[in-house]
């Protein structure tokens, strides 16, 4: 089997458990993202895969081989570091050539492969420059070229775009994604930026406190979170406190609400909705079972979206993102409104 | 806040004044007064030619540079691993190494040199040990020769090398070494291709400091050397104290200064360009 497999990996520093019995399988060719807040264990997990950190327990398989105790250099991985780790005493060519020169690849071959890698990251002509003569984006490209020059089947990336400004970031996301698809690489990508994770990944593992809170394709984890943590971490989330009374869920104002995939096992919990799935309408016009009452608390103009903050009767604030399209209805601050949604967009989460 | 030109000069003034009063004035005075004894420029020039033609002086110039070079290389070879160990060590180990390196520094050179004489002498600790174990039949000549000078001077100058190297090594980004390991480099390759090049300007700086200090050494070679280990500083002292030949002492002082300053000039050029590369 190619790809990566972790089995019950555990790592603690003194009393602090950083990774708690983590198991996951990343098949060949997948773009896999470890997403989580700082201290969630994502970087440590990557470091264990890379071999810079040894797990206390558990096993690491790389391309089907047990690599738990292997040195980093024996693992044959490409890596892009958070700070790029470009050697300041070597120029761009020598930096990109480094993984090949240490493997004693013939000079002619090196020249060809470095040229190919630099062309792929659009840095042809920069061979003789040093890191300090490059912009942040160019340094990032050097780091990327160096990670792929030896054609490793697996490339690890530790917050590679963290230092770039927003526009460049988006641009580089697209480029990394394109290169990884073209070369058929398995990528393990670490980030704390949920937008980046959603844009680039085939699959995301959201980590919290050393465990995987949820794992799945971007759309699934975004639309069907299994916990309030995942719901909130992946973007704006509306969470409404609900209780079961004689078999039916009841929300603020004693109004009945329904949730998709509700099997009736939870007695109380939080009803989850994404703001873009929530619409506003005039009072009394919302459909029973997926409507709550409130009044507009604030209106924010975000350009392509208008964000309404609606205060429910119990004080809960609900966000409703409405696309700024032709003919949208405007609700002024203070107006009474019905907040409504489609039942299949609502999910019941444990507290 | 960037300083104006006036503020810069004001801040520089005390240092310049100190250098002027304590170094440039006495040295300048000594040299000019000494040379004036000779009379005309022609006489001075003739004396310079005579000095440069004197076997013992030329030999002392060669000796001085040879010993300085050897001591520089020895401190480098011994100091580099010690400095590296210091960057790796934590807590008590670090403190211990630091104390071992720096403590001798607080003792006067004379005391340290005599201490070495106790160890290296004919009836010294080392010879007693070797004789006792039957490794040698008669005491080894460890002192009053070039070997003694090298041991003594290397010991005295080692802290300068270690501390300079330590400062440089401490500033090497450990993530670069980790990155190199991740890219398939073996420990030896990481050292030769990454770590050593990144500490090279420290090697140059430490070597320069040690070399320049070694050039002016006087007590240690006088006490631990033999008749063939005459260094320039010793000769200058002899000219002044025994022969009262101030002009010759002045000319030799100039030679010593010129060598030192040219070394420094070469180093500054070199370090400027290398720092620009690393900035």
């Amino acid at each position: 089997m190619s790809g990566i497999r972790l089995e019950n990996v555990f790592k603690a520093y003194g009393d602090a458990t950083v990774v708690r019995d983590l198991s996951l399988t990343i098949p060949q060719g997948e773009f896999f993202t470890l997403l989580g807040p700082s201290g969630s264990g994502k970087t440590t997990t990557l470091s264990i895969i890379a071999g810079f950190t040894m797990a206390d327990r558990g096993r690491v398989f790389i391309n089907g081989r047990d690599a738990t105790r292997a040195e980093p250099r024996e693992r044959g991985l490409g890596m892009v570091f958070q700070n790029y780790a470009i050697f300041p005493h070597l120029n761009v060519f020598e930096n990109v050539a480094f993984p090949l020169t240490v493997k004693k690849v013939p000079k002619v071959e090196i020249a060809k492969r470095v040229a190919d890698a630099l062309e792929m990251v659009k840095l042809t002509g920069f061979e003789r420059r040093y890191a300090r003569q490059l912009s942040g984006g160019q340094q990032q490209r050097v780091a990327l070229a160096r990670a792929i020059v030896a054609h490793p089947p697996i490339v690890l990336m530790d917050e590679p775009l963290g230092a770039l400004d927003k526009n460049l970031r988006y641009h580089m996301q697209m480029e990394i994604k394109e290169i990884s698809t073209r070369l058929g690489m398995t990528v393990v990508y670490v980030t704390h930026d949920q937008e980046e994770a959603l844009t680039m990944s085939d699959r995301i593992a959201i980590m919290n406190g050393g465990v995987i809170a949820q794992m799945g394709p971007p759309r699934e984890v975004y639309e069907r979170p299994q916990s309030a943590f995942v719901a909130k971490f992946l973007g704006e989330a509306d969470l409404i406190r609900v209780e079961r009374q004689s078999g039916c869920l009841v929300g603020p104002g004693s109004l009945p609400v329904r949730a998709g995939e509700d099997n009736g096992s939870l007695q109380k919990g939080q009803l989850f909705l994404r703001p873009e799935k929530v619409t506003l309408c005039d009072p009394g016009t919302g459909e029973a079972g997926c409507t709550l009452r409130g009044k507009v608390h604030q209106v924010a103009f975000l350009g392509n979206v208008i964000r309404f903050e609606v205060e429910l009767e119990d004080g809960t604030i609900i966000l409703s993102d409405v696309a700024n399209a032709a003919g949208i209805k405007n609700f002024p601050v203070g107006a009474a409104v019905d907040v409504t949604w489609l039942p299949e967009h609502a999910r019941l989460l444990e507290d | 806040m960037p300083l104006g030109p006036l503020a810069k000069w004001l801040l520089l003034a005390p240092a310049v004044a100190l250098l002027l009063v304590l170094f440039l004035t006495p040295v300048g005075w000594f040299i000019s007064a000494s040379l004036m004894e000779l009379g005309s420029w022609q006489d001075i020039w003739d004396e310079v030619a005579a000095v440069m033609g004197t076997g013992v002086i030329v030999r002392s110039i060669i000796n001085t540079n040879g010993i300085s070079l050897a001591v520089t290389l020895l401190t480098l070879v011994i100091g580099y691993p010690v400095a590296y160990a210091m960057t790796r060590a934590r807590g008590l180990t670090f403190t211990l190494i630091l104390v071992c390196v720096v403590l001798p520094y607080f003792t006067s050179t004379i005391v340290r040199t005599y201490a070495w004489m106790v160890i290296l002498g004919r009836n010294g600790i080392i010879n007693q040990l070797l004789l006792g174990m039957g490794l040698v039949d008669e005491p080894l000549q460890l002192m009053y020769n070039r070997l003694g000078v090298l041991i003594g001077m290397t010991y005295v100058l080692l802290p300068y090398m270690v501390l300079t190297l330590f400062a440089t090594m401490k500033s090497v980004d450990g993530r670069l070494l980790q990155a190199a390991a991740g890219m398939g480099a073996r420990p030896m390759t990481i050292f030769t291709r990454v770590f050593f090049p990144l500490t090279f300007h420290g090697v140059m700086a430490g070597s320069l400091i040690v070399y320049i200090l070694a050039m002016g050494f006087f007590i240690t070679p006088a006490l631990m050397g033999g008749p063939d280990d005459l260094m320039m500083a010793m000769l200058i002292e002899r000219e002044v104290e025994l022969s009262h030949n101030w002009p010759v002492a002045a000319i030799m002082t100039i030679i010593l200064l010129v060598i030192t300053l040219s070394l420094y000039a070469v180093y500054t050029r070199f370090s400027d360009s290398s720092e620009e590369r690393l900035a």
Side-chain angles (χ1 to χ4, degrees):
Chain A
M1 189 209 89
S2 52
I4 297 168
R5 194 165 90 244
L6 302 186
E7 280 180 6
N8 300 315
V9 166
F10 183 94
K11 179 74 194 176
Y13 292 106
D15 290 340
T17 304
V18 194
V19 177
R20 202 182 294 268
D21 296 319
L22 185 132
S23 296
L24 57 82
T25 303
I26 304 167
Q28 170 70 45
E30 184 171 71
F31 199 113
F32 185 87
T33 298
L34 291 163
L35 174 68
S38 56
S40 59
K42 57 188 192 306
T43 300
T44 307
T45 305
L46 192 78
S47 184
I48 288 171
I49 296 173
F52 298 135
T53 304
M54 286 289 157
D56 298 338
R57 290 202 304 269
R59 303 218 284 169
V60 179
F61 293 89
I62 293 171
N63 293 325
R65 280 183 36 235
D66 188 343
T68 313
R69 299 275 149 217
E71 292 285 329
R73 70 183 145 83
E74 297 164 345
R75 303 192 180 203
L77 306 170
M79 184 140 189
V80 180
F81 296 85
Q82 188 170 12
N83 61 332
Y84 312 141
I86 295 173
F87 301 122
H89 62 295
L90 302 178
N91 63 28
V92 169
F93 181 92
E94 291 160 337
N95 262 286
V96 176
F98 193 89
L100 303 174
T101 40
V102 299
K103 290 191 191 79
K104 308 222 161 42
V105 174
K107 277 216 164 70
V108 187
E109 172 91 14
I110 289 180
K112 190 188 164 303
R113 282 171 64 179
V114 170
D116 286 349
L118 286 178
E119 197 196 322
M120 208 171 285
V121 299
K122 306 189 177 82
L123 270 186
T124 307
F126 287 78
E127 288 83 351
R128 301 284 156 235
R129 300 230 195 152
Y130 289 90
R132 71 192 149 77
Q133 301 166 315
L134 301 174
S135 69
Q138 288 165 339
Q139 293 185 26
Q140 214 286 327
R141 285 161 199 269
V142 174
L144 184 61
R146 195 175 58 178
I148 61 175
V149 73
H151 301 173
I154 299 169
V155 175
L156 313 181
M157 302 192 188
D158 184 7
E159 308 231 7
L161 306 179
L164 302 185
D165 63 56
K166 208 176 168 191
N167 279 332
L168 192 55
R169 216 170 152 127
Y170 180 73
H171 193 72
M172 285 308 295
Q173 286 171 9
M174 292 300 117
E175 266 184 51
I176 291 177
K177 181 76 183 160
E178 201 229 279
I179 290 172
S180 75
T181 311
R182 177 137 51 109
L183 300 180
M185 304 182 311
T186 308
V187 177
V188 185
Y189 194 96
V190 163
T191 182
H192 63 264
D193 180 333
Q194 92 281 354
E195 229 172 279
E196 194 165 288
L198 294 171
T199 310
M200 302 177 79
S201 318
D202 295 324
R203 215 151 50 103
I204 303 172
I206 298 110
M207 292 192 69
N208 188 26
V211 297
I212 293 176
Q214 191 171 348
M215 183 156 59
R219 189 152 196 156
E220 184 187 307
V221 291
Y222 180 77
E223 292 183 344
R224 302 174 61 204
Q226 288 161 3
S227 63
F229 171 78
V230 173
K232 282 191 280 195
F233 197 76
L234 284 176
E236 297 293 344
D238 289 328
L239 294 165
I240 305 156
R241 196 154 290 287
V242 293
E243 251 178 42
R244 200 177 297 281
Q245 290 174 3
S246 51
C248 287
L249 290 176
V250 175
S254 301
L255 291 169
V257 291
R258 276 182 288 142
E261 300 173 47
D262 175 19
N263 58 16
S265 61
L266 284 175
Q267 286 311 303
K268 57 177 190 162
Q270 300 190 78
L271 194 73
F272 155 80
L273 282 161
R274 287 285 174 211
E276 66 272 21
K277 308 286 194 205
V278 176
T279 52
L280 303 182
C281 55
D282 290 323
T285 61
E287 193 188 331
C290 44
T291 297
L292 291 168
R293 279 190 220 113
K295 63 174 198 283
V296 177
H297 177 68
Q298 216 166 53
V299 182
F301 178 70
L302 307 181
N304 56 341
V305 163
I306 296 173
R307 173 167 292 171
F308 294 93
E309 284 187 19
V310 178
E311 188 176 358
L312 302 183
E313 285 177 15
D314 68 340
T316 309
I317 298 285
I318 294 291
L319 301 183
S320 169
D321 285 353
V322 181
N324 187 10
I328 64 153
K329 193 167 163 54
N330 197 19
F331 295 93
V333 173
V337 286
D338 272 10
V339 174
T340 174
W341 61 89
L342 295 175
E344 62 265 34
H345 290 152
R347 284 176 62 80
L348 184 60
L349 303 177
E350 254 181 282
D351 271 333
Chain B
M1 192 188 75
L3 293 169
L6 183 68
K8 278 184 200 165
W9 282 109
L10 278 175
L11 285 173
L12 212 54
V16 171
L18 202 69
L19 200 66
L20 205 67
V21 172
L22 296 179
F23 179 68
L24 290 178
T25 312
V27 170
W29 200 341
F30 159 62
I31 290 174
S32 56
S34 309
L35 294 182
M36 230 103 81
E37 278 182 26
L38 293 169
S40 70
W41 283 106
Q42 185 57 48
D43 293 332
I44 294 174
W45 184 244
D46 288 345
E47 187 67 18
V48 171
V51 165
M52 295 302 285
T54 312
V56 66
I57 293 176
V58 174
R59 256 203 316 283
S60 89
I61 294 175
I62 295 169
N63 271 347
T64 306
N65 283 287
I67 291 173
S68 300
L69 185 66
V71 168
T72 304
L73 293 177
L74 282 171
T75 53
L76 186 60
V77 169
I78 300 168
Y80 201 91
V82 175
Y84 182 73
M86 271 173 77
T87 61
R88 297 279 112 176
R90 297 275 173 277
L92 189 65
T93 326
F94 173 77
T95 315
L96 273 175
I97 303 178
L98 190 67
V99 166
C100 288
V101 170
V102 177
L103 201 59
Y105 211 42
F106 295 144
T107 325
S108 91
T109 311
I110 296 192
V111 173
R112 280 187 284 169
T113 306
Y114 276 120
W116 269 109
M117 294 166 76
V118 172
I119 296 173
L120 299 175
R122 257 188 100 72
N123 296 311
I125 296 168
I126 291 184
N127 270 323
Q128 300 226 350
L129 212 64
L130 291 176
L131 287 168
M133 291 194 298
L135 290 173
V136 293
D137 295 329
E138 55 184 78
L140 294 177
Q141 188 65 43
L142 300 172
M143 235 173 39
Y144 307 123
N145 58 13
R146 186 59 62 92
L147 182 66
V149 176
L150 293 184
I151 292 175
M153 285 178 66
T154 301
Y155 174 69
V156 173
L157 289 170
L158 195 57
Y160 296 94
M161 183 61 94
V162 171
L163 295 178
T164 311
L165 287 174
F166 172 70
T168 310
M169 289 179 184
K170 201 72 189 163
S171 69
V172 171
D173 186 349
R175 291 172 297 191
L176 292 175
L177 310 177
Q178 199 178 57
M183 283 182 267
R186 290 170 179 282
M188 199 57 210
T189 317
I190 297 175
F191 179 79
T192 55
R193 298 278 326 270
V194 184
F195 191 76
F196 187 74
L198 288 176
T199 54
F200 190 67
H201 65 281
V203 169
M204 292 311 290
S207 300
L208 185 83
I209 292 169
V210 170
Y211 196 97
I212 288 176
L213 288 174
M215 292 269 293
F217 250 57
F218 165 70
I219 296 170
T220 311
L223 292 178
M224 295 180 75
D228 294 337
D229 303 308
L230 201 59
M231 290 182 73
M232 290 176 77
M234 294 157 69
L235 210 55
I236 292 173
E237 191 258 1
R238 265 183 221 188
E239 293 297 337
V240 172
E241 289 291 317
L242 298 176
S243 322
H244 300 290
N245 196 343
W246 287 59
V248 173
I251 291 168
M252 291 187 61
T253 307
I254 294 172
I255 296 171
L256 197 57
L257 256 176
V258 167
I259 297 175
T260 310
L261 290 177
S262 358
L263 277 174
Y264 186 71
V266 170
Y267 166 75
T268 333
R269 269 200 75 95
F270 174 84
S271 72
D272 275 358
S273 60
S274 80
E275 247 145 51
E276 191 187 314
R277 229 148 58 93
L278 293 169

